[in-house]
Amino acid sequence: MHRRTALSVSAAAALLAVAPLLTACGSDAHPGAAAVVGGQRIEVSSLQAQVKDVRSAQQASPNAAQLINQTGDLSRQKLHDMIFDKVAEKVAENNGVTVSRAEVQQARSDFVRQSGGEEQMATALLQQRGVAPGQIDDVARRAVLMNKIAATLGVTNTAEGQKKLQEAFSKASKELRIDVNPRYGSWDDEKIQLGTYTAPWVRQISRPAAVEAGA
């Protein structure tokens, strides 16, 4: 397994998220919060801003109606991503993994090259994953972080390797005591999922670190 791995947009999307689901958080206990993760609030306003960015980008597309229809549960998808990012950061912290700005930019450059250009990459991520142009760096960071976590843990493309990764994320998720506003669902620490919502491209916690381009 190598630290540097070429990542396609589709591979990045596989790394982009683990199944989305959420934990019981009373809206009365945390007014204005979509979730509380590790004592930090994810504000409803922040979630709505992410959704708005995607909807604006979709509406500017010739296929606006189709794109919007394909991402009908966008609020839950985005909340999942926001929670998952915090879980991934906790896993990274637990294992001494860090990601530099230069690594994120390199990953983004790889996406652009493999997609055939910046515009093509942005279009693919918007159409396939509901990612607005301003959210692409988040996708790149997530991909780099997942690769480095998998490399550090020695995860391989086997059932045993995936179990090891699952256990690391489950442990971190429990440590964060994730509390979700019931309007969005409840978080499952074992499955790393938000309620009954599962991102359509998610098959497992992540693809192995050595994801080949085009996987």
Side-chain angles (χ1 to χ4, degrees), residues 24-136:
C25 136
S27 54
D28 290 339
H30 305 292
V36 178
V37 184
Q40 297 182 334
R41 294 163 59 92
I42 295 177
E43 302 290 350
V44 171
S45 57
S46 297
L47 172 61
Q48 291 175 336
Q50 288 220 5
V51 172
K52 182 180 179 181
D53 286 346
V54 175
R55 291 301 187 212
S56 294
Q58 290 175 331
Q59 288 167 357
S61 168
N63 303 317
Q66 180 181 358
L67 293 179
I68 292 171
N69 183 61
Q70 289 174 344
T71 52
D73 208 1
L74 188 57
S75 291
R76 301 191 73 199
Q77 175 187 326
K78 288 302 176 184
L79 182 57
H80 161 72
D81 289 350
M82 296 169 83
I83 294 173
F84 177 70
D85 281 345
K86 291 184 179 295
V87 176
E89 291 289 351
K90 181 61 175 175
V91 175
E93 177 186 328
N94 289 347
N95 292 278
V97 174
T98 60
V99 173
S100 69
R101 180 64 181 169
E103 289 174 314
V104 173
Q105 289 305 304
Q106 181 60 56
R108 180 170 178 142
S109 295
D110 290 344
F111 298 166
V112 170
R113 185 182 65 256
Q114 293 159 10
S115 302
E118 182 81 27
E119 183 176 348
Q120 291 88 333
M121 174 193 66
T123 298
L125 284 175
L126 178 64
Q127 292 180 344
Q128 300 170 18
R129 312 301 174 191
V131 175
Q135 298 166 358
I136 293 174

Side-chain angles (χ1 to χ4, degrees), residues 87 91 94-95 149 153 163-173:
V87 176
V91 175
N94 289 347
N95 292 278
I149 288 171
L153 294 176
K163 180 181 179 182
K164 188 174 184 179
L165 193 60
Q166 174 88 30
E167 289 173 347
F169 272 79
S170 179
K171 175 178 180 291
S173 183

